[in-house]
Amino acid sequence: MITVAIANQKGGVGKTTTAINLATGLAAMGWKVLLIDLDPQGNASTGLGIGPQSRERSSYEVLIGSETVDASVQPTRVPRLDLLPATQDLSGAEVELVDLERRTHRLFDALEAAPPRWDICLIDCPPSLGLLTVNALIAARHLLVPLQCEFFALEGLSQLLQTVERIRTRFNPELSILGVALTMFDRRNRLSAQVAEDVRACLGPAVFDTVVPRNVRLSEAPSHGLPALIYDLRCSGSTAYVGLARELMARLPALKEAA
């Protein structure tokens, strides 16, 4: 199974929107997808129509070892897409994990013990570089970084990359940066174009060609418990995420065969 962490310690960059719609796009293209919600806010769970009252088991129980991944996942209304939901219990997980063995490898161990039911696993990380995100980066083979096209886009990116390098050196030498996805692009704003140009000049081919625009339908979809690709497939945001999913697949064909 290919495992991809979707992370950026800066909040409001489109991590959850990217996770939900990429997972939906990959499932629509025939991949069996597991989406892990590792954010205490649980927005990925809500955005897929799994309300708090329906989350009997969650990523919290998996991390502390009281439940397995296989027993905790829930099907979604999207065919071939399963979800490991999050609850507010995750808020205290970082404190609890400190006293547990292999506290940085809890998610890795849980996924290693899971049955081979899925082609790819996407992990929606919280907006921080704490133990939850570290667990995700150690469990993952690849990192996808959503980066919004705004003035502070590159602020903190170097810190994230330094963290990735430390994890690669100490824990997970196979971790690689799959790509950077530019989000919240505003065609009316010249600054968005300038930021996108600067990011491409800095990171080169690591940046995906597809740019996700600011789009009202992307913001509306979670309130209906639906990915934007189902809520409004024809909107510009959905079209962009379909393109991003295709780019993602193009970067992973050999890996899928080996998974």
Side-chain angles (χ1 to χ4, degrees):
M1 177 173 68
I2 302 165
T3 308
V4 180
I6 299 175
N8 187 330
Q9 78 272 23
K10 192 174 186 304
V13 300
K15 286 189 298 295
T16 298
T17 299
T18 298
I20 291 172
N21 288 291
L22 273 183
T24 301
L26 291 171
M29 294 174 192
W31 288 41
K32 296 176 183 176
V33 183
L34 170 63
L35 175 59
I36 297 178
D37 190 349
L38 213 59
D39 188 339
Q41 298 178 83
N43 290 336
S45 305
T46 302
L48 284 171
I50 309 296
Q53 68 283 354
S54 301
R55 304 170 200 173
E56 296 181 7
R57 302 180 184 89
S58 70
S59 52
Y60 168 77
E61 283 80 15
V62 170
L63 285 174
I64 65 171
S66 64
E67 291 288 354
T68 64
V69 170
D70 195 42
S72 303
V73 297
Q74 298 181 222
T76 68
R77 64 185 73 185
V78 180
R80 293 181 294 277
L81 172 56
D82 292 331
L83 171 73
L84 177 56
T87 62
Q88 290 186 350
D89 291 334
L90 273 178
S91 299
E94 297 204 3
V95 176
E96 295 181 51
L97 287 173
V98 170
D99 295 325
L100 298 179
E101 292 184 6
R102 291 177 60 82
R103 62 180 180 271
T104 58
H105 288 67
R106 306 293 291 189
L107 185 59
F108 173 85
D109 292 342
L111 288 174
E112 282 289 292
R117 291 171 47 188
W118 305 281
D119 297 315
I120 189 167
C121 170
L122 303 180
I123 308 172
D124 183 29
C125 297
S128 72
L129 292 178
L131 263 178
L132 294 177
T133 299
V134 169
N135 262 270
L137 294 178
I138 290 175
R141 279 282 302 274
H142 307 282
L143 170 66
L144 190 154
V145 183
L147 200 67
Q148 89 268 41
C149 296
E150 294 181 357
F151 181 72
F152 293 112
L154 293 175
E155 184 180 88
L157 181 60
S158 61
Q159 184 182 356
L160 175 62
L161 297 180
Q162 288 170 11
T163 299
V164 169
E165 191 55 41
R166 284 196 295 270
I167 288 175
R168 190 184 282 145
T169 301
R170 294 184 58 191
F171 302 116
N172 184 6
E174 294 185 341
L175 180 64
S176 66
I177 297 177
L178 179 63
V180 175
L182 297 174
T183 62
M184 301 181 181
F185 184 85
D186 188 346
R187 298 181 186 279
R188 301 166 299 176
N189 189 337
R190 293 176 62 184
L191 180 60
S192 285
Q194 184 61 56
V195 169
E197 183 178 328
D198 290 346
V199 172
R200 292 190 189 281
C202 179
L203 300 175
V207 184
F208 288 102
D209 292 334
T210 302
V211 177
V212 180
R214 282 194 178 276
N215 181 243
V216 173
R217 305 300 267 179
L218 287 178
S219 302
E220 291 176 351
S223 66
H224 296 271
L226 292 170
L229 270 66
I230 293 178
Y231 181 65
D232 186 352
L233 179 59
R234 297 183 181 180
C235 73
S236 60
S238 294
T239 300
Y241 276 116
V242 169
L244 188 60
R246 286 177 175 151
E247 277 198 76
L248 183 70
M249 291 178 73
R251 295 190 183 195
L252 295 175
L255 294 174
K256 187 188 177 191
E257 294 298 324

